[in-house]
Coordinates of all heavy atoms in Angstrom, one line a residue:
M1 N -121.3 -49.1 -192.2 CA -122.0 -50.0 -191.4 C -122.6 -49.4 -190.1 O -121.8 -48.7 -189.4 CB -121.0 -51.2 -191.0 CG -121.7 -52.2 -190.2 SD -120.6 -53.7 -190.0 CE -119.8 -53.3 -188.4
N2 N -123.8 -49.6 -189.8 CA -124.4 -49.0 -188.6 C -124.3 -50.0 -187.5 O -124.7 -51.2 -187.7 CB -125.9 -48.7 -188.8 CG -126.1 -47.5 -189.8 OD1 -125.2 -46.7 -189.9 ND2 -127.2 -47.5 -190.5
V3 N -123.8 -49.6 -186.3 CA -123.7 -50.5 -185.2 C -124.6 -49.9 -184.1 O -124.4 -48.7 -183.7 CB -122.3 -50.6 -184.7 CG1 -122.2 -51.5 -183.5 CG2 -121.4 -51.2 -185.8
N4 N -125.5 -50.6 -183.6 CA -126.4 -50.2 -182.5 C -125.8 -50.7 -181.2 O -125.6 -51.9 -181.1 CB -127.8 -50.6 -182.7 CG -128.4 -50.0 -183.9 OD1 -128.2 -48.8 -184.2 ND2 -129.3 -50.7 -184.6
E5 N -125.5 -49.9 -180.3 CA -125.0 -50.3 -179.0 C -126.2 -50.5 -178.0 O -127.1 -49.6 -177.9 CB -124.0 -49.3 -178.4 CG -123.4 -49.7 -177.1 CD -122.3 -48.8 -176.7 OE1 -121.4 -48.4 -177.5 OE2 -122.5 -48.3 -175.5
H6 N -126.2 -51.6 -177.3 CA -127.3 -51.9 -176.4 C -126.7 -52.5 -175.2 O -126.0 -53.6 -175.3 CB -128.3 -52.9 -177.0 CG -129.5 -53.1 -176.2 ND1 -130.5 -52.2 -176.0 CD2 -129.8 -54.1 -175.4 CE1 -131.4 -52.7 -175.2 NE2 -131.0 -53.9 -174.8
V7 N -126.8 -51.9 -174.0 CA -126.2 -52.4 -172.8 C -127.3 -52.9 -171.9 O -128.3 -52.3 -171.7 CB -125.4 -51.2 -172.0 CG1 -124.9 -51.8 -170.7 CG2 -124.3 -50.7 -172.9
I8 N -127.1 -54.1 -171.4 CA -128.0 -54.8 -170.5 C -127.2 -55.1 -169.2 O -126.2 -55.7 -169.2 CB -128.6 -56.1 -171.0 CG1 -129.4 -55.8 -172.3 CG2 -129.4 -56.8 -170.0 CD1 -129.9 -57.1 -172.9
E9 N -127.7 -54.6 -168.1 CA -127.0 -54.8 -166.8 C -127.8 -55.9 -166.1 O -129.0 -55.7 -165.7 CB -127.0 -53.6 -165.9 CG -126.0 -52.5 -166.5 CD -125.9 -51.3 -165.6 OE1 -125.9 -51.5 -164.4 OE2 -125.7 -50.2 -166.2
Q10 N -127.2 -57.1 -165.9 CA -127.8 -58.2 -165.2 C -126.7 -58.9 -164.4 O -125.5 -58.8 -164.7 CB -128.4 -59.2 -166.2 CG -129.6 -58.6 -166.8 CD -130.3 -59.6 -167.7 OE1 -129.7 -60.6 -168.2 NE2 -131.6 -59.5 -167.9
Q11 N -127.1 -59.7 -163.4 CA -126.1 -60.5 -162.7 C -125.4 -61.6 -163.5 O -124.2 -61.7 -163.5 CB -126.8 -61.2 -161.5 CG -127.2 -60.2 -160.4 CD -126.1 -59.5 -159.8 OE1 -125.0 -60.1 -159.6 NE2 -126.2 -58.3 -159.4
S12 N -126.2 -62.3 -164.3 CA -125.7 -63.3 -165.2 C -126.6 -63.5 -166.4 O -127.7 -63.1 -166.4 CB -125.5 -64.6 -164.5 OG -126.8 -65.1 -164.1
L13 N -126.0 -64.0 -167.5 CA -126.7 -64.2 -168.7 C -126.5 -65.7 -169.1 O -125.4 -66.2 -168.9 CB -126.3 -63.4 -169.8 CG -126.4 -61.8 -169.7 CD1 -125.7 -61.1 -170.8 CD2 -127.9 -61.5 -169.6
T14 N -127.6 -66.3 -169.5 CA -127.5 -67.7 -170.0 C -127.8 -67.7 -171.5 O -128.9 -67.3 -171.9 CB -128.4 -68.6 -169.3 OG1 -128.1 -68.6 -167.9 CG2 -128.3 -70.1 -169.8
F15 N -126.9 -68.2 -172.3 CA -127.0 -68.3 -173.7 C -127.3 -69.7 -174.2 O -126.8 -70.6 -173.6 CB -125.8 -67.7 -174.5 CG -125.6 -66.3 -174.3 CD1 -124.8 -65.8 -173.3 CD2 -126.2 -65.4 -175.2 CE1 -124.6 -64.4 -173.2 CE2 -126.0 -64.0 -175.1 CZ -125.2 -63.5 -174.1
V16 N -128.1 -69.8 -175.2 CA -128.3 -71.1 -175.8 C -127.9 -70.9 -177.3 O -128.3 -70.0 -177.9 CB -129.8 -71.5 -175.8 CG1 -130.1 -72.8 -176.6 CG2 -130.3 -71.6 -174.3
G17 N -127.1 -71.9 -177.8 CA -126.6 -71.7 -179.2 C -125.8 -72.8 -179.7 O -125.8 -73.9 -179.1
I18 N -125.2 -72.6 -180.8 CA -124.3 -73.5 -181.5 C -122.9 -72.9 -181.5 O -122.8 -71.7 -181.5 CB -124.8 -73.9 -182.9 CG1 -124.9 -72.6 -183.8 CG2 -126.1 -74.6 -182.9 CD1 -125.1 -72.9 -185.2
K19 N -121.9 -73.8 -181.4 CA -120.5 -73.3 -181.3 C -119.7 -74.1 -182.3 O -119.9 -75.3 -182.5 CB -120.0 -73.6 -179.9 CG -118.5 -73.4 -179.7 CD -118.1 -73.9 -178.4 CE -117.9 -75.4 -178.4 NZ -117.1 -75.9 -177.4
R20 N -118.8 -73.4 -182.9 CA -117.7 -74.0 -183.7 C -116.4 -73.4 -183.4 O -116.3 -72.3 -182.9 CB -118.0 -73.8 -185.2 CG -119.2 -74.5 -185.7 CD -119.3 -74.5 -187.2 NE -120.6 -75.0 -187.6 CZ -121.1 -74.8 -188.8 NH1 -120.5 -74.0 -189.7 NH2 -122.3 -75.3 -189.1
T21 N -115.3 -74.2 -183.5 CA -114.0 -73.7 -183.3 C -113.3 -73.5 -184.6 O -113.4 -74.3 -185.5 CB -113.2 -74.8 -182.5 OG1 -113.9 -75.0 -181.3 CG2 -111.8 -74.3 -182.2
F22 N -112.6 -72.4 -184.7 CA -112.0 -72.0 -186.0 C -110.5 -71.6 -185.8 O -110.1 -71.2 -184.7 CB -112.6 -70.7 -186.6 CG -114.1 -70.9 -187.0 CD1 -115.1 -70.4 -186.2 CD2 -114.4 -71.6 -188.1 CE1 -116.4 -70.5 -186.5 CE2 -115.7 -71.8 -188.5 CZ -116.7 -71.2 -187.7
S23 N -109.7 -71.9 -186.8 CA -108.4 -71.4 -186.8 C -108.3 -69.9 -187.2 O -109.1 -69.5 -188.0 CB -107.5 -72.2 -187.8 OG -106.3 -71.7 -188.0
C24 N -107.4 -69.2 -186.6 CA -107.2 -67.8 -186.9 C -106.1 -67.7 -188.0 O -105.7 -66.5 -188.4 CB -106.9 -67.0 -185.7 SG -108.2 -67.0 -184.5
V25 N -105.5 -68.8 -188.4 CA -104.4 -68.8 -189.4 C -104.9 -68.5 -190.8 O -106.0 -69.1 -191.2 CB -103.6 -70.1 -189.3 CG1 -102.6 -70.1 -190.4 CG2 -103.1 -70.3 -188.0
D26 N -104.3 -67.6 -191.5 CA -104.6 -67.3 -192.9 C -106.1 -66.8 -193.1 O -106.6 -67.0 -194.1 CB -104.3 -68.4 -193.8 CG -102.8 -68.8 -193.8 OD1 -102.0 -67.8 -193.7 OD2 -102.5 -70.0 -194.0
G27 N -106.7 -66.3 -192.0 CA -108.0 -65.7 -192.2 C -109.1 -66.7 -192.3 O -110.2 -66.4 -192.7
E28 N -108.9 -68.0 -191.9 CA -109.9 -69.0 -191.9 C -111.2 -68.6 -191.2 O -112.3 -68.8 -191.7 CB -109.4 -70.3 -191.4 CG -110.5 -71.4 -191.3 CD -110.1 -72.7 -190.6 OE1 -108.9 -73.2 -190.8 OE2 -110.9 -73.2 -189.8
N29 N -111.0 -68.0 -190.0 CA -112.2 -67.6 -189.2 C -113.0 -66.6 -190.0 O -114.2 -66.6 -189.9 CB -111.7 -67.1 -187.9 CG -110.7 -66.0 -187.9 OD1 -109.8 -65.9 -188.8 ND2 -110.8 -65.0 -187.0
L30 N -112.3 -65.7 -190.7 CA -113.0 -64.6 -191.4 C -113.8 -65.2 -192.6 O -114.8 -64.6 -193.0 CB -112.0 -63.6 -191.9 CG -111.2 -62.9 -190.8 CD1 -110.2 -61.9 -191.4 CD2 -112.1 -62.2 -189.8
R31 N -113.4 -66.3 -193.2 CA -114.1 -67.0 -194.2 C -115.2 -67.9 -193.7 O -116.3 -68.0 -194.3 CB -113.2 -67.8 -195.1 CG -112.2 -66.9 -196.0 CD -111.4 -67.8 -196.9 NE -110.7 -68.9 -196.2 CZ -109.5 -68.7 -195.7 NH1 -108.9 -67.6 -195.7 NH2 -108.9 -69.8 -195.1
E32 N -115.0 -68.6 -192.6 CA -115.9 -69.6 -192.1 C -117.0 -69.1 -191.3 O -118.1 -69.7 -191.3 CB -115.1 -70.7 -191.4 CG -114.1 -71.4 -192.3 CD -114.8 -72.2 -193.4 OE1 -115.8 -72.7 -193.2 OE2 -114.2 -72.1 -194.5
I33 N -116.8 -68.0 -190.6 CA -117.9 -67.5 -189.7 C -119.1 -67.0 -190.6 O -120.3 -67.4 -190.2 CB -117.4 -66.4 -188.8 CG1 -116.5 -67.0 -187.7 CG2 -118.6 -65.6 -188.1 CD1 -115.8 -66.0 -186.8
P34 N -118.9 -66.3 -191.7 CA -120.1 -66.0 -192.5 C -120.8 -67.3 -193.1 O -122.0 -67.3 -193.1 CB -119.5 -65.2 -193.7 CG -118.3 -64.5 -193.1 CD -117.7 -65.6 -192.2
K35 N -120.0 -68.3 -193.4 CA -120.6 -69.6 -193.8 C -121.4 -70.2 -192.7 O -122.5 -70.8 -192.9 CB -119.5 -70.5 -194.3 CG -118.9 -70.1 -195.6 CD -117.8 -71.2 -196.0 CE -117.0 -70.7 -197.2 NZ -115.9 -71.6 -197.5
M36 N -120.9 -70.1 -191.5 CA -121.7 -70.6 -190.3 C -123.0 -69.9 -190.2 O -124.0 -70.6 -190.0 CB -120.8 -70.4 -189.0 CG -121.5 -70.9 -187.8 SD -120.4 -70.6 -186.4 CE -121.4 -71.3 -185.0
W37 N -123.1 -68.6 -190.4 CA -124.3 -67.9 -190.4 C -125.2 -68.4 -191.5 O -126.4 -68.6 -191.3 CB -124.1 -66.4 -190.4 CG -123.8 -65.8 -189.1 CD1 -122.6 -65.5 -188.6 CD2 -124.7 -65.4 -188.1 NE1 -122.7 -65.0 -187.3 CE2 -124.0 -64.9 -187.0 CE3 -126.1 -65.4 -188.0 CZ2 -124.6 -64.4 -185.8 CZ3 -126.7 -65.0 -186.8 CH2 -126.0 -64.5 -185.8
Q38 N -124.7 -68.5 -192.7 CA -125.5 -69.0 -193.8 C -126.1 -70.4 -193.5 O -127.3 -70.6 -193.8 CB -124.6 -69.0 -195.1 CG -124.3 -67.7 -195.6 CD -123.3 -67.8 -196.8 OE1 -122.6 -68.8 -197.0 NE2 -123.1 -66.6 -197.5
D39 N -125.3 -71.3 -193.0 CA -125.8 -72.6 -192.7 C -126.9 -72.6 -191.6 O -127.8 -73.3 -191.7 CB -124.6 -73.5 -192.1 CG -123.6 -73.8 -193.2 OD1 -123.8 -73.6 -194.4 OD2 -122.5 -74.2 -192.8
T40 N -126.7 -71.7 -190.6 CA -127.7 -71.5 -189.6 C -129.0 -71.1 -190.1 O -130.1 -71.6 -189.7 CB -127.2 -70.5 -188.5 OG1 -126.0 -71.1 -187.9 CG2 -128.2 -70.3 -187.4
L41 N -129.0 -70.2 -191.0 CA -130.2 -69.7 -191.6 C -130.8 -70.7 -192.6 O -132.0 -70.9 -192.6 CB -129.9 -68.4 -192.4 CG -129.4 -67.2 -191.6 CD1 -129.1 -66.0 -192.4 CD2 -130.4 -66.8 -190.5
A42 N -130.0 -71.4 -193.3 CA -130.5 -72.4 -194.3 C -131.0 -73.6 -193.7 O -132.0 -74.2 -194.2 CB -129.4 -72.7 -195.3
D43 N -130.5 -74.0 -192.6 CA -130.8 -75.3 -191.9 C -132.0 -75.2 -190.9 O -132.4 -76.2 -190.3 CB -129.6 -75.9 -191.2 CG -128.5 -76.3 -192.1 OD1 -128.8 -76.5 -193.3 OD2 -127.4 -76.5 -191.6
G44 N -132.6 -74.0 -190.8 CA -133.7 -73.8 -189.8 C -133.2 -73.7 -188.4 O -134.1 -73.6 -187.5
I45 N -131.9 -73.6 -188.1 CA -131.4 -73.5 -186.7 C -131.8 -72.2 -186.2 O -132.1 -72.1 -185.0 CB -129.9 -73.8 -186.7 CG1 -129.6 -75.2 -187.1 CG2 -129.4 -73.5 -185.3 CD1 -128.1 -75.4 -187.4
E46 N -131.9 -71.1 -187.0 CA -132.3 -69.8 -186.5 C -133.6 -69.9 -185.8 O -133.8 -69.3 -184.7 CB -132.3 -68.8 -187.7 CG -132.8 -67.5 -187.3 CD -133.1 -66.6 -188.5 OE1 -133.3 -67.1 -189.6 OE2 -133.2 -65.4 -188.3
E47 N -134.6 -70.5 -186.5 CA -135.9 -70.6 -185.9 C -135.9 -71.4 -184.6 O -136.6 -71.0 -183.6 CB -136.9 -71.3 -186.9 CG -137.2 -70.4 -188.1 CD -138.0 -71.2 -189.1 OE1 -138.7 -72.1 -188.7 OE2 -137.9 -70.9 -190.3
R48 N -135.2 -72.5 -184.5 CA -135.1 -73.2 -183.3 C -134.5 -72.4 -182.2 O -135.0 -72.5 -181.0 CB -134.3 -74.5 -183.5 CG -135.1 -75.5 -184.4 CD -134.3 -76.7 -184.8 NE -133.7 -77.4 -183.6 CZ -132.7 -78.2 -183.7 NH1 -132.2 -78.5 -184.8 NH2 -132.2 -78.8 -182.6
L49 N -133.4 -71.7 -182.4 CA -132.8 -70.9 -181.4 C -133.7 -69.8 -180.9 O -133.8 -69.5 -179.8 CB -131.4 -70.3 -181.9 CG -130.3 -71.3 -182.1 CD1 -129.1 -70.6 -182.7 CD2 -129.9 -71.9 -180.7
N50 N -134.4 -69.1 -181.9 CA -135.3 -68.1 -181.5 C -136.4 -68.5 -180.6 O -137.0 -67.8 -179.8 CB -135.8 -67.4 -182.7 CG -134.9 -66.3 -183.3 OD1 -134.2 -65.6 -182.6 ND2 -134.8 -66.2 -184.6
G51 N -136.7 -69.8 -180.7 CA -137.7 -70.4 -179.8 C -137.3 -70.4 -178.3 O -138.1 -70.4 -177.4
F52 N -136.0 -70.3 -178.1 CA -135.4 -70.2 -176.7 C -135.3 -68.7 -176.2 O -135.0 -68.5 -175.0 CB -134.1 -70.8 -176.6 CG -134.1 -72.3 -176.8 CD1 -133.7 -72.9 -178.0 CD2 -134.5 -73.2 -175.8 CE1 -133.7 -74.3 -178.2 CE2 -134.5 -74.5 -176.0 CZ -134.1 -75.1 -177.2
N53 N -135.5 -67.8 -177.1 CA -135.3 -66.4 -176.7 C -136.2 -65.9 -175.6 O -137.4 -66.1 -175.7 CB -135.4 -65.5 -178.0 CG -135.0 -64.1 -177.7 OD1 -135.7 -63.3 -177.2 ND2 -133.8 -63.8 -178.1
N54 N -135.6 -65.2 -174.6 CA -136.5 -64.7 -173.5 C -136.8 -63.3 -173.7 O -137.4 -62.7 -172.8 CB -135.7 -65.0 -172.2 CG -134.5 -64.1 -172.0 OD1 -134.2 -63.2 -172.8 ND2 -133.7 -64.4 -171.0
G55 N -136.4 -62.6 -174.8 CA -136.8 -61.3 -175.0 C -135.8 -60.2 -174.5 O -136.0 -59.0 -174.8
A56 N -134.8 -60.6 -173.7 CA -133.9 -59.6 -173.2 C -133.1 -59.0 -174.4 O -132.9 -57.8 -174.4 CB -132.9 -60.3 -172.3
I57 N -132.7 -59.8 -175.4 CA -132.2 -59.3 -176.6 C -132.9 -60.1 -177.7 O -132.6 -61.3 -177.9 CB -130.6 -59.5 -176.7 CG1 -129.9 -58.8 -175.6 CG2 -130.1 -59.1 -178.1 CD1 -128.4 -59.1 -175.6
P58 N -133.7 -59.4 -178.5 CA -134.4 -60.2 -179.5 C -133.5 -60.6 -180.6 O -132.5 -60.0 -181.0 CB -135.4 -59.2 -180.1 CG -135.2 -57.9 -179.4 CD -134.1 -58.0 -178.4
G59 N -133.7 -61.9 -181.1 CA -132.9 -62.4 -182.2 C -131.7 -63.1 -181.7 O -131.5 -63.5 -180.6
L60 N -130.7 -63.2 -182.7 CA -129.5 -64.0 -182.4 C -128.3 -63.0 -182.3 O -128.3 -61.9 -182.8 CB -129.2 -64.9 -183.6 CG -130.3 -66.0 -183.9 CD1 -129.9 -66.8 -185.1 CD2 -130.6 -66.8 -182.7
V61 N -127.3 -63.5 -181.5 CA -126.1 -62.8 -181.4 C -124.9 -63.6 -181.7 O -125.0 -64.9 -181.7 CB -125.9 -62.3 -179.9 CG1 -127.0 -61.3 -179.5 CG2 -125.8 -63.4 -178.9
G62 N -123.8 -63.0 -182.1 CA -122.5 -63.7 -182.4 C -121.6 -63.5 -181.2 O -121.4 -62.3 -180.8
I63 N -121.0 -64.5 -180.7 CA -120.1 -64.4 -179.5 C -118.8 -65.0 -179.9 O -118.7 -66.2 -180.3 CB -120.7 -65.2 -178.3 CG1 -122.1 -64.6 -178.0 CG2 -119.7 -65.1 -177.1 CD1 -122.8 -65.5 -176.9
F64 N -117.7 -64.2 -179.8 CA -116.4 -64.6 -180.1 C -115.6 -64.9 -178.8 O -115.7 -64.1 -177.8 CB -115.7 -63.4 -180.8 CG -114.2 -63.5 -180.9 CD1 -113.6 -64.4 -181.8 CD2 -113.4 -62.8 -180.0 CE1 -112.2 -64.5 -181.8 CE2 -112.0 -62.8 -180.1 CZ -111.4 -63.7 -181.0
V65 N -115.0 -66.1 -178.7 CA -114.2 -66.4 -177.5 C -112.8 -66.7 -178.0 O -112.5 -67.6 -178.7 CB -114.8 -67.7 -176.8 CG1 -113.9 -68.1 -175.6 CG2 -116.2 -67.5 -176.5
D66 N -111.9 -65.8 -177.6 CA -110.5 -65.8 -178.0 C -109.8 -66.9 -177.2 O -109.7 -66.8 -176.0 CB -109.8 -64.5 -177.7 CG -108.4 -64.4 -178.3 OD1 -107.9 -65.4 -178.7 OD2 -107.9 -63.3 -178.3
Q67 N -109.3 -67.9 -177.9 CA -108.6 -69.0 -177.2 C -107.1 -69.1 -177.6 O -106.5 -70.1 -177.4 CB -109.3 -70.4 -177.5 CG -110.7 -70.5 -177.0 CD -111.2 -71.9 -177.2 OE1 -111.0 -72.4 -178.3 NE2 -111.9 -72.4 -176.3
R68 N -106.6 -68.1 -178.3 CA -105.3 -68.2 -178.8 C -104.2 -68.4 -177.8 O -103.2 -69.0 -178.1 CB -105.0 -66.9 -179.6 CG -105.8 -66.9 -180.9 CD -105.5 -65.6 -181.7 NE -106.1 -64.5 -180.9 CZ -106.2 -63.3 -181.4 NH1 -105.6 -62.9 -182.5 NH2 -106.8 -62.3 -180.6
E69 N -104.4 -68.0 -176.5 CA -103.4 -68.2 -175.5 C -103.5 -69.7 -175.0 O -102.5 -70.2 -174.5 CB -103.6 -67.3 -174.4 CG -103.2 -65.9 -174.7 CD -103.2 -64.9 -173.5 OE1 -103.2 -65.4 -172.4 OE2 -103.2 -63.7 -173.7
L70 N -104.7 -70.3 -175.1 CA -104.9 -71.7 -174.6 C -104.6 -72.7 -175.7 O -104.0 -73.7 -175.5 CB -106.3 -71.9 -174.1 CG -106.7 -70.9 -173.0 CD1 -108.2 -71.1 -172.7 CD2 -105.9 -71.2 -171.8
Q71 N -105.0 -72.4 -176.9 CA -104.8 -73.3 -178.1 C -104.3 -72.5 -179.2 O -104.8 -71.4 -179.6 CB -106.1 -74.0 -178.4 CG -106.6 -74.9 -177.3 CD -107.8 -75.7 -177.8 OE1 -108.0 -75.9 -179.0 NE2 -108.5 -76.3 -176.8
D72 N -103.3 -72.9 -179.8 CA -102.5 -72.2 -180.9 C -103.5 -71.7 -182.0 O -104.0 -72.4 -182.8 CB -101.5 -73.1 -181.5 CG -100.5 -72.4 -182.3 OD1 -100.2 -71.2 -182.0 OD2 -100.0 -73.0 -183.3
N73 N -103.6 -70.4 -182.0 CA -104.3 -69.7 -183.0 C -105.8 -70.2 -183.3 O -106.2 -70.3 -184.4 CB -103.6 -69.7 -184.4 CG -102.3 -68.8 -184.3 OD1 -102.4 -67.7 -183.8 ND2 -101.2 -69.3 -184.7
Q74 N -106.5 -70.5 -182.2 CA -107.9 -70.9 -182.3 C -108.8 -70.0 -181.6 O -108.4 -69.3 -180.7 CB -108.1 -72.3 -181.8 CG -107.5 -73.4 -182.7 CD -107.9 -74.8 -182.2 OE1 -108.4 -75.0 -181.2 NE2 -107.6 -75.7 -183.1
M75 N -110.0 -70.0 -182.0 CA -111.1 -69.2 -181.4 C -112.4 -70.0 -181.5 O -112.5 -70.9 -182.3 CB -111.3 -67.9 -182.2 CG -111.7 -68.1 -183.6 SD -112.4 -66.7 -184.4 CE -114.0 -66.6 -183.7
E76 N -113.3 -69.7 -180.6 CA -114.6 -70.3 -180.6 C -115.6 -69.2 -181.1 O -115.4 -68.0 -180.8 CB -115.1 -70.7 -179.2 CG -114.5 -72.0 -178.7 CD -115.1 -72.3 -177.3 OE1 -116.0 -71.6 -176.8 OE2 -114.7 -73.3 -176.8
Y77 N -116.6 -69.6 -181.8 CA -117.6 -68.6 -182.2 C -119.0 -69.3 -182.0 O -119.2 -70.4 -182.4 CB -117.5 -68.3 -183.7 CG -118.4 -67.1 -184.1 CD1 -118.0 -65.8 -183.9 CD2 -119.6 -67.3 -184.7 CE1 -118.8 -64.7 -184.2 CE2 -120.4 -66.3 -185.0 CZ -120.0 -65.0 -184.8 OH -120.9 -64.0 -185.1
W78 N -119.8 -68.6 -181.3 CA -121.2 -69.0 -181.0 C -122.2 -68.2 -181.8 O -122.0 -67.0 -181.9 CB -121.5 -68.8 -179.5 CG -120.7 -69.7 -178.6 CD1 -119.4 -69.6 -178.3 CD2 -121.2 -70.8 -177.9 NE1 -119.1 -70.6 -177.3 CE2 -120.2 -71.3 -177.1 CE3 -122.5 -71.3 -177.8 CZ2 -120.4 -72.4 -176.2 CZ3 -122.7 -72.4 -176.9 CH2 -121.6 -72.9 -176.2
I79 N -123.2 -68.8 -182.3 CA -124.4 -68.1 -182.7 C -125.5 -68.5 -181.6 O -125.7 -69.7 -181.4 CB -124.9 -68.6 -184.1 CG1 -123.8 -68.1 -185.1 CG2 -126.2 -67.9 -184.4 CD1 -124.1 -68.6 -186.5
A80 N -126.0 -67.5 -180.9 CA -126.7 -67.9 -179.7 C -127.9 -66.8 -179.5 O -128.0 -65.8 -180.2 CB -125.8 -67.9 -178.5
T81 N -128.7 -67.2 -178.5 CA -129.8 -66.3 -178.1 C -129.8 -66.4 -176.6 O -129.3 -67.3 -176.0 CB -131.1 -66.7 -178.7 OG1 -132.1 -65.7 -178.5 CG2 -131.6 -68.0 -178.2
L82 N -130.5 -65.4 -176.0 CA -130.7 -65.3 -174.5 C -132.0 -66.0 -174.2 O -133.0 -65.9 -174.9 CB -130.8 -63.9 -174.0 CG -129.5 -63.2 -174.0 CD1 -129.7 -61.7 -173.7 CD2 -128.5 -63.8 -173.0

């Protein structure tokens, strides 16, 4: 797998996207996040989100928010754009 690293230095970033909360128990998050991406592409949400893109990072990003300390074995996952 090729990973391209891209660093942007800014005071703050504002993301627009969709969010879902997943359980980390028994790998639910690992099964459901790819489905979330499939749904986003199939439902036309990708095009709508890309309409908000300001060009700082072209396309969509996945954002993981670890909430396991706040809520038992849960995480948030965003599909978003800048």
Side-chain angles (χ1 to χ4, degrees):
M1 180 169 97
N2 291 333
V3 176
N4 295 323
E5 184 176 306
H6 186 76
V7 177
I8 297 175
E9 293 185 33
Q10 292 185 334
Q11 292 293 328
S12 66
L13 298 172
T14 301
F15 290 92
V16 175
I18 59 171
K19 171 189 80 163
R20 291 191 188 159
T21 301
F22 297 104
S23 170
C24 297
V25 176
D26 296 327
E28 176 186 315
N29 56 325
L30 301 176
R31 290 186 305 276
E32 295 300 320
I33 290 172
K35 289 180 188 175
M36 182 180 176
W37 277 96
Q38 290 172 345
D39 293 346
T40 299
L41 298 175
D43 293 343
I45 297 170
E46 174 190 22
E47 292 175 25
R48 290 176 50 201
L49 289 175
N50 278 323
F52 292 103
N53 188 278
N54 68 11
I57 298 174
L60 302 178
V61 297
I63 303 170
F64 164 78
V65 180
D66 187 350
Q67 295 186 320
R68 290 177 290 183
E69 289 186 19
L70 301 173
Q71 297 191 17
D72 191 34
N73 289 313
Q74 288 191 347
M75 60 163 287
E76 285 182 358
Y77 189 82
W78 291 73
I79 296 176
T81 191
L82 287 172

